[in-house]
Amino acid sequence: MTEQTPPLIKCQDVSYNINGNSILDSISLEFQFKSWTGILGPSGSGKSTFLRCLNRLISFSDGSITYHNKPIESYPPSKLRKKICLIQQKPLMIPGSVRENLTVVKDWDPEFKTTNSLLEKTLNQVGLQALILDQDARSLSSGEQQRISLARGLLNNPEVLLLDEPTSNLDPRLARQILDTIQSLAFENNLTIIMVSHDHSLLKKYATDVGIMINGKLIETGPPTILDHPREHDSIQFLMKEPS
Ligand code: ADP
């Protein structure tokens, strides 16, 4: 019998309550090494909150999350957030050059070290020219800013990328280009991807697994084919209303 590889991240009955409201309700989900999991669900269903629990940007109220078989609370938050790196929907650019944006981490992380050649290599990895290092980051297009945000994450050698609607500000062609880049990076660097997206065509193209979250509950999980053939009543109702 072949031994099953343990999941890279395992969530067991994770709940999050705030001001007496249940935002996440007993979520159990495993993420395998090098998988690409898509999470979708109506707005306000807790998807972003769940991503934030995974790298301790917020502390869940109940349940457990393990990373490499150890409780995530056993990792210093700053180290965990480098390994499990959140890329926000809207890239946050500080005033200044691309170089300043890529190295801003050094202001609070004394361990952060980089070199010009590493910055150039990382920009190339995300499909940008090293020439833009000294350009004003805010003058760049939203697609370029999203790539810079990705490069900033990659400089920390992450193992997991949490992508929160990473392409919702981009047109479909640019969205595919950036996800193609992420797919190559994931392949080259053994990354595990957890992506919130409402775009069925992108989920079907890139995800290996999909989870449907409604009202803080994980209703259904499976391969992306569940988007066309959901089993659960609530998923069927939700997917019928969604443009595919
Ligand atoms: P989604 O990403 O699925 O759109 P969110 O995780 O952003 O959903 O939000 C889920 C619910 O939790 C929403 O109703 C939101 O208003 C609420 N929520 C999230 N964070 C807080 C907070 N800090 N205080 C109060 N309510 C919150």
Side-chain angles (χ1 to χ4, degrees), residues 16-19 21-24 39-52 58 89 164-165 196 213-216:
Y16 177 68
N17 308 314
I18 192 159
N19 305 330
N21 294 323
S22 165
I23 310 293
L24 297 177
I39 298 178
L40 79 163
S43 178
S45 58
K47 305 178 298 293
S48 300
T49 303
F50 179 56
L51 289 191
R52 281 164 174 71
I58 53 176
Q89 175 176 13
D164 195 354
E165 299 263 12
V196 169
M213 196 181 280
I214 300 174
N215 283 338

Side-chain angles (χ1 to χ4, degrees), residues 73-143:
E73 298 85 348
S74 65
Y75 297 89
S78 58
K79 290 219 160 62
L80 188 75
R81 284 174 208 145
K82 286 186 203 170
K83 287 290 150 202
I84 306 182
C85 172
L86 177 69
I87 308 288
Q88 311 262 12
Q89 175 176 13
K90 200 167 177 324
L92 196 70
M93 294 290 118
I94 58 158
S97 64
V98 170
R99 183 191 306 278
E100 285 167 298
N101 269 275
L102 290 177
T103 58
V104 64
V105 185
K106 71 177 174 0
D107 291 350
W108 62 87
D109 178 6
E111 282 176 20
F112 180 83
K113 299 260 180 317
T114 191
T115 58
N116 227 16
S117 65
L118 182 60
L119 291 180
E120 290 177 3
K121 180 177 154 227
T122 312
L123 278 180
N124 285 331
Q125 278 185 318
V126 299
L128 293 172
Q129 301 285 330
L131 277 175
I132 66 163
L133 263 176
D134 294 309
Q135 274 188 32
D136 179 357
R138 291 181 168 187
S139 70
L140 302 172
S141 70
S142 37

Side-chain angles (χ1 to χ4, degrees), residues 82 85 87 102 148-158 161:
K82 286 186 203 170
C85 172
I87 308 288
L102 290 177
I148 290 166
S149 165
L150 187 59
R152 188 160 49 197
L154 289 175
L155 283 167
N156 290 313
N157 290 320
L161 291 183

